[in-house]
Amino acid sequence: MNVPERNWLSDVAVSNLNDEYDLPGGITVYRNIEELSSRTYEWMLEEDGFPSVGFHLNGLGQTIKFEMDGEKVVGSVVDTAKPDLVTLTMWLRYHAENIHEDRLLKSQKKGRLFWTPPALGKAEAEGVLPDTVEGLLAYIYMHL
């Protein structure tokens, strides 16, 4: 069993809706696996419990698999799979870079009545983004 030490990242769920595991696209971050499960429908699942589209990892890089409990989709971590922090970090970095581009564009626009463009810090303006899973999650959630 490859179960890393339990911490809050085990609850976080990251979804990559791209057709290829190694290519990020359509990244969504959920606070927990239950939140992801509630947005996953039975028709989306293959017989083996994996979605017919997309890939899902928790905040420790562990694969998330789904099963049906009555009419409810329930996600759980595949404890026997080796955690993939490299891919998880790549997915989160891709998402953070998209947010950064959006913030950079908006910061250059002229403000209007009842709207002020985002103010970027020096590091963010220079394109410096976090390197850790925790830092990337913080950057992504600060945008919401």
Side-chain angles (χ1 to χ4, degrees):
M1 229 186 222
N2 293 319
V3 181
E5 185 177 319
R6 190 106 168 128
N7 68 38
W8 69 274
L9 288 172
S10 64
D11 286 340
V12 174
V14 180
S15 175
N16 175 12
L17 293 183
N18 204 338
D19 292 338
E20 294 183 42
Y21 180 78
D22 293 331
L23 293 176
I27 303 296
T28 307
V29 178
Y30 299 92
R31 289 187 182 273
N32 54 59
I33 295 172
E34 291 75 21
E35 215 176 75
L36 168 61
S37 296
S38 71
R39 289 171 177 81
T40 304
Y41 301 99
E42 180 180 3
W43 60 265
M44 299 169 87
L45 303 181
E46 299 284 336
E47 286 184 29
D48 60 1
F50 290 101
S52 56
V53 68
F55 305 91
H56 309 284
L57 298 173
N58 74 355
L60 297 174
Q62 296 171 292
T63 302
I64 298 172
K65 184 177 180 174
F66 300 93
E67 61 186 0
M68 295 302 299
D69 183 11
E71 292 186 20
K72 183 178 176 183
V73 176
V74 178
S76 62
V77 171
V78 179
D79 290 330
T80 56
K82 182 178 178 186
D84 188 356
L85 283 172
V86 171
T87 300
L88 174 64
T89 304
M90 176 185 55
W91 292 358
L92 292 173
R93 180 142 188 101
Y94 171 84
H95 192 40
E97 287 170 351
N98 285 330
I99 289 169
H100 177 259
E101 285 179 28
D102 185 52
R103 286 182 50 78
L104 193 59
L105 282 172
K106 287 180 180 176
S107 73
Q108 296 169 354
K109 292 183 179 180
K110 184 178 177 183
R112 297 184 301 270
L113 188 62
F114 303 118
W115 182 79
T116 304
L120 304 182
K122 185 177 178 181
E124 185 180 19
E126 293 173 358
V128 176
L129 293 173
D131 293 324
T132 64
V133 169
E134 294 91 336
L136 289 165
L137 287 169
Y139 184 80
I140 290 165
Y141 266 90
M142 285 186 345
H143 173 268
L144 298 177

